[in-house]
């Protein structure tokens, strides 16, 4: 490992995480650059997994809060048996959500959470580029755990006031907004552009792993009372927040390591170099302004594409378990617990989609083509799931895996590799203080769509679930349209490369960075 000068040691002593200091004191040697990279991947993966686990819980408890029949006029014997079997768990629901407008109130909770989350995202990115991301992330995680638990405490405190749950959800949304800009910025500080799509596609599995674990945990504790389904994930994210505080190194400079130290050991320089070269604070430049970040080529089209892509993804995140419990599969209705467990397959497909989209975009060096292709493929997949998902359980499972892959694939690609590409765009001239802001703009814009989708579903589903799927298919189509200019640019570039015969010998940067 390369030597570290004394001045560097003095300047980084106070910024090293306590856990890193303890490990280095125990082993009596400094941790290598690659070891720091492993720590970053593991800690940020756990961090955002816990964020999504707490976010998923409300979709699971909806059936406990509002255990209405699938259709008011349907008198299915199998459903009545299912209702009687679960009466000891769900009872008659939880006021005020068990009334005739219960579905609408649950949709309002989703809207409040996601609207505050979206607005908070823009501010979080701005703040994240200006303070220690380890501290910022820790505060966000502990705050998220606190307000998620407070929602669940309403069960034991026998609180039936809608505005209590509304305010708690809004506060949880604000603290949740600290997560994504922070983890992407930290990972971006440690990993270079080589195989970024694949690496971040695998790393982004934390979204689906969080959704799956959150669903399973919430569904398991539902039988003990819906309050446990909120409190347990809330406590878990607070514990992970402490781990983040103890072990997360924000960037190589903060722990006094040199990204070039392993160059002699590995020819794959892109895997060990940080996105931006190590520079002093003065060389890094001042933080990029909000409007300046919007003007970076490619940011706006991908941000608006994510608006509609995330609208679709979050509609499934918040309403899929409820939809499954309200739809007969082969003539049988599933319990809330079984529906929650089955819905995790959507996220399993999402893991595959995220990795596949990242790998394909790396091989083709074409982020826009990959994202648009997945988005358009989601349209027929959604139609097939609505039309034939009820035929049998195997058909439902297969189609759910497919829609998860096509819906979460572009969502994962845009929020990770594309955001990192644009956050280090050549127009920034090496300015390191843009990653969190650009990430926040793209995901914040997407989160506005994520807020609109679930609340529209809450209203539209009272009339027809087919209308909900029509809305989702239209949204996927519009999402692809926003990438048309970038797709044309990438196709033109590939065609020109083929004509020059250079596509196999001299790879060029993606049109995402050229536009």
């Amino acid at each position: 490992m390369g030597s570290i000068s004394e001045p560097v040691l003095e300047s980084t002593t106070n910024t090293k995480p306590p856990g890193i200091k303890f490990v280095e004191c125990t082993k009596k040697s400094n941790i290598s650059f690659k070891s720091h990279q492993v720590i970053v991947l593991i800690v940020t993966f756990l961090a955002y997994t816990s964020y999504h686990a707490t976010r998923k819980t409300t979709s699971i408890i909806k059936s406990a809060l509002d255990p209405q029949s699938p259709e008011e006029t349907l008198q299915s014997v199998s459903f009545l048996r299912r209702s009687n079997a679960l009466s000891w768990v769900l009872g008659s629901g939880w006021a005020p959500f068990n009334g005739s407008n219960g579905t609408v109130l649950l949709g309002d909770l989703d809207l409040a959470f996601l609207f505050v989350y979206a607005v908070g995202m823009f501010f979080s990115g701005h703040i994240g580029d200006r303070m220690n991301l380890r501290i910022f992330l820790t505060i966000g995680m502990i705050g998220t755990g606190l307000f998620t638990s407070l929602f669940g405490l309403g069960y034991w405190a026998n609180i039936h006031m809608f505005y209590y749950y509304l305010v708690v959800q809004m506060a949880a949304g604000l603290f949740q907004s600290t997560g994504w800009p922070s983890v992407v910025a930290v990972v971006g500080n440690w990993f270079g552009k080589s195989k970024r799509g694949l690496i971040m596609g695998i790393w982004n599995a934390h979204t689906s792993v969080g959704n799956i674990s959150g669903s399973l945990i919430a569904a398991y504790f539902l039988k003990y009372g819906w309050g446990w389904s909120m409190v347990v994930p809330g406590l878990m994210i607070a514990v992970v927040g402490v781990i983040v505080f103890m072990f997360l190194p924000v960037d190589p400079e903060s722990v006094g390591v040199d990204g070039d130290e392993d160059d002699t050991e590995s020819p794959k320089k892109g895997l060990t170099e940080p996105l931006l070269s190590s520079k002093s604070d003065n060389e890094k430049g001042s933080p990029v302004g909000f409007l300046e970040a919007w003007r970076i080529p490619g940011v706006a089209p991908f941000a608006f594409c994510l608006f509609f892509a995330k609208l679709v993804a979050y509609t499934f995140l918040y309403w899929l378990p409820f939809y499954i419990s309200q739809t007969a599969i082969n003539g049988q209705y599933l319990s809330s617990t079984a529906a929650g467990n089955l819905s995790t397959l959507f996220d399993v497909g999402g893991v595959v989609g995220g990795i596949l989209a990242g790998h394909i975009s790396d091989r083709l060096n074409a982020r826009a083509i990959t994202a648009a292709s997945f988005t358009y493929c989601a349209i027929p997949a959604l139609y097939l799931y609505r039309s034939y998902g009820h035929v049998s359980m195997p058909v439902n499972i297969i189609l759910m895996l497919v829609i998860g892959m096509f819906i979460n694939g572009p969502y994962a690609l845009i929020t990770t590799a594309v955001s990192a590409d644009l956050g280090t765009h050549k127009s920034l001239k090496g300015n390191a203080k843009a990653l969190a802001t650009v990430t926040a703009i793209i995901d914040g814009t997407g989160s506005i769509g994520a807020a609109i989708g679930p609340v529209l579903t809450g209203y539209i589903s009272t009339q027809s679930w087919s209308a909900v799927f029509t809305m989702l298919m239209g949204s996927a189509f519009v999402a692809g349209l926003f990438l048309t200019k970038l797709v044309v640019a990438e196709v033109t570039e590939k065609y020109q490369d083929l004509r020059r015969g250079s596509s196999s010998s001299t790879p060029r940067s993606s049109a995402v960075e050229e536009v």
Side-chain angles (χ1 to χ4, degrees):
M1 184 171 69
S3 61
I4 302 173
S5 62
E6 290 300 322
V8 173
L9 282 172
E10 291 176 3
S11 63
T12 60
T13 299
N14 294 328
T15 58
K16 278 189 179 182
I20 299 294
K21 290 181 182 178
F22 176 78
V23 172
E24 290 183 339
C25 288
T26 302
K27 63 182 294 191
K28 297 181 180 179
S29 63
N30 290 334
I31 299 176
S32 68
F33 183 83
K34 286 185 177 180
S35 295
H36 277 101
Q37 286 184 310
V38 173
I39 292 172
V40 167
L41 285 179
I42 293 175
V43 174
T44 54
F45 187 95
L46 290 174
Y48 214 67
T49 294
S50 62
Y51 268 108
H52 258 266
T54 56
R55 200 176 302 174
K56 181 66 175 179
T57 54
T58 53
S59 69
I60 301 300
I61 68 170
K62 280 179 178 177
S63 295
L65 299 176
D66 179 26
Q68 61 177 345
S69 60
E71 296 180 24
E72 294 296 332
T73 59
L74 184 62
Q75 299 296 327
S76 169
V77 174
S78 61
F79 174 71
L80 291 176
R81 288 175 180 172
R82 192 256 302 187
S83 297
N84 292 332
L86 287 180
S87 61
W88 66 278
V89 175
L90 303 181
S92 58
W94 192 267
F97 304 105
N98 60 350
S100 59
N101 64 338
T103 303
V104 173
L105 291 179
L106 291 172
D108 289 341
L109 285 184
D110 293 341
L111 174 64
F113 174 91
L114 291 169
F115 178 77
V116 174
Y117 174 81
V119 174
M121 184 77 71
F122 294 109
F123 291 98
S124 293
H126 186 76
I127 297 172
D129 279 330
R130 290 162 174 78
M131 70 174 290
N132 189 314
L133 287 172
R134 177 171 60 90
I135 305 299
F136 188 54
L137 194 56
T138 300
I139 293 172
M141 296 180 74
I142 293 177
T144 297
L146 172 64
F147 285 99
T148 301
S149 299
L150 285 176
F151 191 104
L153 286 175
Y155 173 77
W156 292 283
N158 200 30
I159 298 174
H160 296 277
M161 184 170 58
F162 171 72
Y163 289 102
Y164 168 81
Y165 298 103
L166 182 68
V167 171
V168 168
Q169 277 292 82
M170 292 174 69
L174 181 62
F175 281 100
Q176 280 262 358
S177 68
T178 62
W180 191 241
S182 300
V183 295
V184 172
V186 171
V187 172
N189 288 334
W190 284 94
F191 290 88
K193 294 182 178 180
S194 177
K195 297 184 179 180
R196 179 188 293 168
L198 178 60
I199 291 174
M200 285 193 154
I202 297 172
W203 172 76
N204 192 65
H206 52 51
T207 298
S208 295
V209 172
N211 290 340
I212 293 170
S213 60
S215 296
L216 295 177
I217 292 171
Y220 174 79
F221 283 100
L222 195 61
K223 60 187 176 183
Y224 299 109
W226 64 262
W228 287 109
S229 298
M230 301 295 292
V231 170
V232 173
L235 294 176
M236 290 173 62
I237 191 174
V239 171
V240 178
V242 175
I243 295 175
V244 167
F245 177 79
M246 294 295 294
F247 291 99
L248 182 63
V250 173
D251 53 41
E253 292 83 1
S254 67
V255 289
V257 297
D258 185 358
D260 297 327
E261 66 182 58
D262 294 317
D263 288 349
T264 58
E265 300 176 11
S266 173
K268 298 179 181 180
K269 192 173 181 180
L271 294 178
T272 57
E273 278 189 334
L275 293 177
L276 299 167
S277 58
S278 299
K279 299 180 180 182
S280 66
D281 290 338
N282 291 333
E283 291 174 309
K284 286 184 179 181
S286 59
V288 173
F290 181 76
L291 295 179
E292 183 182 355
W294 267 107
R295 288 193 290 268
I296 296 173
V299 168
F302 273 109
F304 291 123
C305 171
L306 189 62
F307 176 96
F308 289 96
K310 207 166 180 180
L311 182 153
V312 178
Y314 267 64
T315 296
F316 277 90
L317 174 68
Y318 280 93
W319 286 101
L320 182 57
F322 189 79
Y323 170 74
I324 293 174
S325 69
Q326 304 293 295
T327 304
I329 300 176
N330 195 24
Q332 299 291 322
Y333 288 94
L334 300 181
S335 68
S336 298
T337 299
N341 292 336
L342 180 61
S343 70
T344 61
L345 294 176
F346 174 83
D347 294 294
V348 173
V351 172
V352 176
I355 295 173
L356 191 60
H359 178 65
I360 292 174
S361 70
D362 279 342
R363 292 295 298 271
L364 298 179
N365 195 27
R367 308 289 197 211
I369 292 175
T370 304
S373 298
F374 271 69
T375 300
Y376 288 133
C377 286
I379 298 173
L382 286 166
Y383 175 79
L384 291 174
Y385 182 72
R386 174 55 183 167
S387 300
Y388 301 102
H390 66 279
V391 172
S392 67
M393 184 62 72
V395 172
N396 189 287
I397 290 173
I398 293 172
L399 292 176
M400 192 183 303
L401 289 169
V402 172
I403 60 174
M405 180 178 69
F406 287 127
I407 289 174
N408 282 349
Y411 166 34
L413 181 65
I414 294 172
T415 55
T416 54
V418 170
S419 294
D421 287 347
L422 297 175
T424 56
H425 193 271
K426 62 183 181 180
S427 66
L428 295 171
K429 299 178 180 179
N431 189 342
K433 297 182 179 181
L435 267 172
T437 299
V438 170
T439 301
I441 286 175
I442 293 177
D443 200 43
T445 303
S447 296
I448 296 175
I452 294 174
V455 73
L456 285 178
T457 300
Y459 286 96
I460 299 174
S461 63
T462 59
Q463 304 299 321
S464 168
W465 279 104
S466 295
V468 171
F469 276 82
T470 300
M471 174 194 72
L472 297 178
M473 289 186 284
S475 298
F477 179 73
V478 175
L481 288 181
F482 273 106
L483 297 182
T484 300
K485 182 179 179 180
L486 294 177
V487 169
V488 171
E490 287 182 349
V491 170
T492 301
E493 177 189 331
K494 299 302 176 186
Y495 177 73
Q496 291 174 348
D497 284 345
L498 286 174
R499 292 191 63 180
R500 288 193 300 264
S502 61
S503 59
S504 60
S505 59
T506 310
R508 299 178 59 192
S509 58
S510 169
V512 169
E513 299 184 34
E514 295 283 345
V515 175

